[in-house]
Amino acid sequence: MQLDLLDTPASESFDRITRMASQIFDLPIAAVSLTDTDRQWFKSRVGVEHREVPRVGAPCAQVAETCDILVIEDFETDDVYRDSVLGRAGIRFYAGAPLVTRDGFGLGAMCVLGTSPRTVKGSELAALRDLAAMVMSQIELQHAFGRIDPISALPNRTQFLEDLADLARDEGTGRRRIVSLLDLMAVDQLNHTQRVMGPAAIDAIIRVAARNLRILIGPQRKAYHVGASQFACLAPDGVDETDYLDMVRAKTEQFRKLGGEDVLGTTVIGVAPFVLGEVAPSDVLRIAQGAAQDARATGLPFHSHSATSDKAFRRSFALLRDFEVALAASSDLRLVYQPRIDLASGQCLGAEALLRWTHPTLGPIGPSEFIPLIERMSLATPTTAWVIETAVAQIASWREAGLDLTVSVNISSANLHDSGFADSVKAVLRRHGVPPTVIELEVTETAIMNDAELALTQLNQLAEAGIRLAIDDFGTGYSSLSYLQRLPIHVVKIDRSFIARIDTDPRQLSLITMMVSMAKHLGHRVVAEGVETPAVLDRLRSTGCDEVQGYLFSHPLPPQDFVAWTKVGRRDEAPDRRLA
């Protein structure tokens, strides 16, 4: 049984037993002593300054060898231990009970010591044996059952976190240390390898990597298996961060081949400096994993933790958590509406509904910050449901007031992967008594191509129900003409990135003209996004574009302001003046 105990930090679970022993015997010194080849090392100690003593002449070594209890009532009258290290240090009394594994191997002793001679009662010896049994139970619980990974035979993440906490308690706060995290494979590489070669191949890679890592870092440092393909270790105490990074750089090739010569994964290393006691162990692991992810994202073999990137990551995590709360309450979310203008008549034909979030403490959060977060997580589907419900309710309210407009709503890739999405949209329209033709769903090319066949099924169901469909940000995704022909879309929205320079760049204007012509030949209505200047608007007239939207006409508006804007926009003025 590999217990991996020697040189691990002190632990409160063991210290509790040691304090109990000191109290039961009313003695100033107690320890959990473990036997090594040439030393007695204290896993836990009360009243002892040193962390280890030589094995030669140590009573605990005899206890470990004989697996029997040992009592020395007075060192000065004992021929064997009178001149031992403990005897010369003023120890006069010793009692130790053996720490024995289930297979009969003696690890060391649960011992108590005093500076005066004394006798031992039978009840005290029984208590000492019970305490030794408690120590062994704790050892087996923490290090044999649930603390050692069965594949790598290394201490696992739970042990890593506990050892960091114990290290801070044992050495005190304020000391700067460094953790390295080695990630053998990206998640997709791991999944691909397991799918093609099977889980046994992954296990073999992990075993080889664990063995090589032990050799690479040496016997004085401890390695941990903290993730599916992730290992962690502490840098040597006192090492300079720059020197350590130079060492990591020098051993890049060895780290790259950690799992074997033929492993297809890409090994990266995250380096995380931290201060003992000031950073929670779970945060130490988190920032080390974040540094490894940064290395993978940038294509570098290793990356050192950046406080700036970590702050941004933590903000993103907090925003994601808070958005989920906001979505449940709905009080901090609202829709604003940006007008869409018919280029020929100058009339407002509809609006795009855009989600806005006002955080209770941080204030307004820009959609460019929170929308990508929710689209990567499981919140995309409920968020779209909220937006559609709110937009359709607003359409119903406007129709009752005599305002008949089409409102467009952005949907995500996750919605097109939901087989019940089309039915859910139709149900919302029925509930509010709104005809399907007054809502338009916008989806990007990329979202469609993530799973083209499933997306096409959903889009066909929506189109058959009479719901208008639009391709958003056209030109920034796949732009597959053959696939565009298959899509049951009504509108193509050209991304603002193509529009901005058409007044100064003739090639850009030619490109837009071609895109508009192609879309119109396929039977689609064309909308130009991001129109912000009269010069750009003037160029768009020559392209044959149907509709425009942008800050030149209006910023996104709250519902009541949008209604007021439409009344101003419907005055009997020449179209050219209304659009200037």
Side-chain angles (χ1 to χ4, degrees), residues 8 63 106 128 133 277 287 312 337 340 393 451 456 462 472 489 495 510-511 516 553 562 573:
T8 57
V63 174
L128 191 62
I287 63 177
Y337 299 85
R340 273 174 41 179
D451 190 334
L456 186 59
L462 291 165
D472 194 18
I489 59 173
D495 186 68
S510 296
L511 177 62
V516 171
F553 313 104
F562 176 81
E573 299 174 349

Side-chain angles (χ1 to χ4, degrees), residues 439-481:
I439 187 169
E440 182 178 284
L441 301 182
E442 299 184 15
V443 61
T444 64
E445 297 170 80
T446 303
I448 294 172
M449 298 305 292
N450 281 343
D451 190 334
E453 292 306 318
L454 181 57
L456 186 59
T457 299
Q458 288 298 299
L459 292 175
N460 281 329
Q461 290 181 16
L462 291 165
E464 289 168 3
I467 296 168
R468 291 168 57 86
L469 300 172
I471 291 291
D472 194 18
D473 299 340
F474 181 71
T476 61
Y478 290 87
S479 299
S480 170
L481 296 181

Side-chain angles (χ1 to χ4, degrees), residues 32-93:
V32 173
S33 175
L34 301 176
T35 303
D36 201 358
T37 54
D38 59 351
R39 59 178 174 148
Q40 286 297 132
W41 180 81
F42 301 122
K43 173 63 179 174
S44 174
R45 63 196 193 277
V46 172
V48 181
E49 293 183 3
H50 302 291
R51 297 194 68 180
E52 59 183 60
V53 296
R55 174 171 177 160
V56 176
C60 288
Q62 179 180 335
V63 174
E65 290 169 1
T66 63
C67 292
D68 198 6
I69 201 162
L70 173 65
V71 176
I72 304 171
E73 295 185 344
D74 188 352
F75 270 62
E76 289 191 359
T77 63
D78 190 286
D79 294 337
V80 176
Y81 293 105
R82 180 188 301 114
D83 295 325
S84 67
V85 172
L86 293 178
R88 293 195 300 271
I91 297 299
R92 297 289 297 275
F93 170 80

Side-chain angles (χ1 to χ4, degrees), residues 25 55 84 145 149 176 184 190 201 247 277 309 314 328 363 373 404 415 437 441 458 476 502 511 523 532 563:
F25 280 83
R55 174 171 177 160
S84 67
F145 307 129
D149 184 88
R176 192 169 179 84
L184 300 181
L190 184 67
M247 183 277 294
S309 63
R314 297 187 69 167
L373 293 178
D404 190 8
N415 298 123
T437 53
L441 301 182
Q458 288 298 299
T476 61
I502 64 171
L511 177 62
E532 298 185 358
V563 171

Side-chain angles (χ1 to χ4, degrees), residues 230-530:
Q230 294 180 343
F231 300 92
C233 59
L234 275 168
D237 190 13
V239 68
D240 178 76
E241 183 179 341
T242 301
D243 293 341
Y244 187 69
L245 289 174
D246 288 341
M247 183 277 294
V248 172
R249 184 179 292 107
K251 294 186 176 182
T252 295
E253 188 63 17
Q254 292 171 276
F255 286 124
R256 189 183 70 81
K257 298 179 179 179
L258 204 63
E261 293 285 344
D262 301 324
V263 175
L264 299 178
T266 306
T267 299
V268 294
I269 304 169
V271 180
F274 69 100
V275 178
L276 277 176
E278 293 184 8
V279 182
S282 58
D283 281 337
V284 173
L285 180 58
R286 179 183 59 78
I287 63 177
Q289 289 172 327
Q293 290 172 0
D294 289 342
R296 197 174 293 287
T298 55
L300 298 173
F302 69 92
H303 193 280
S304 186
H305 163 68
S306 165
T308 301
S309 63
D310 184 57
K311 183 178 180 181
F313 178 81
R314 297 187 69 167
R315 174 181 168 90
S316 296
F317 180 80
L319 288 178
L320 195 61
R321 178 195 59 207
D322 294 345
F323 184 85
E324 187 170 12
V325 175
L327 187 60
S330 299
S331 57
D332 299 328
L333 301 179
R334 61 191 177 95
L335 292 183
V336 292
Y337 299 85
Q338 186 170 39
R340 273 174 41 179
I341 311 299
D342 179 68
L343 195 53
S345 68
Q347 293 293 328
C348 176
L349 301 181
E352 180 178 359
L354 299 166
L355 181 61
R356 294 294 183 263
W357 177 26
T358 302
H359 192 280
T361 57
L362 300 176
I365 307 298
S368 61
E369 182 175 14
F370 75 84
I371 293 294
L373 293 178
I374 63 178
E375 286 186 341
R376 291 198 300 267
M377 306 300 287
S378 59
L379 291 176
T381 297
T383 299
T384 302
W386 185 91
V387 171
I388 290 176
E389 182 75 35
T390 305
V392 171
Q394 184 63 69
I395 293 172
S397 176
W398 281 339
R399 286 173 64 83
E400 289 180 4
L403 189 60
D404 190 8
L405 296 171
T406 298
V407 174
S408 60
V409 172
N410 292 279
I411 63 175
S412 72
S413 175
N415 298 123
L416 296 181
H417 295 162
D418 178 3
S419 60
F421 176 66
D423 289 336
S424 68
V425 176
K426 289 185 285 185
V428 173
L429 293 170
R430 286 195 300 269
R431 186 163 55 251
H432 290 280
V434 172
T437 53
V438 298
I439 187 169
E440 182 178 284
L441 301 182
E442 299 184 15
V443 61
T444 64
E445 297 170 80
T446 303
I448 294 172
M449 298 305 292
N450 281 343
D451 190 334
E453 292 306 318
L454 181 57
L456 186 59
T457 299
Q458 288 298 299
L459 292 175
N460 281 329
Q461 290 181 16
L462 291 165
E464 289 168 3
I467 296 168
R468 291 168 57 86
L469 300 172
I471 291 291
D472 194 18
D473 299 340
F474 181 71
T476 61
Y478 290 87
S479 299
S480 170
L481 296 181
S482 62
Y483 213 84
L484 193 60
Q485 289 179 299
R486 296 178 58 193
L487 296 176
I489 59 173
H490 306 86
V491 175
V492 169
K493 300 189 74 175
I494 299 177
D495 186 68
R496 66 183 64 246
S497 61
F498 293 97
I499 302 298
R501 300 189 308 278
I502 64 171
D503 59 328
T504 58
D505 187 343
R507 293 176 300 179
Q508 198 76 357
L509 178 60
S510 296
L511 177 62
I512 293 298
T513 301
M514 181 186 68
M515 293 169 70
V516 171
S517 176
M518 177 191 68
K520 290 177 74 68
H521 273 86
L522 291 174
H524 307 317
R525 191 169 176 82
V526 182
V527 180
E529 298 180 293

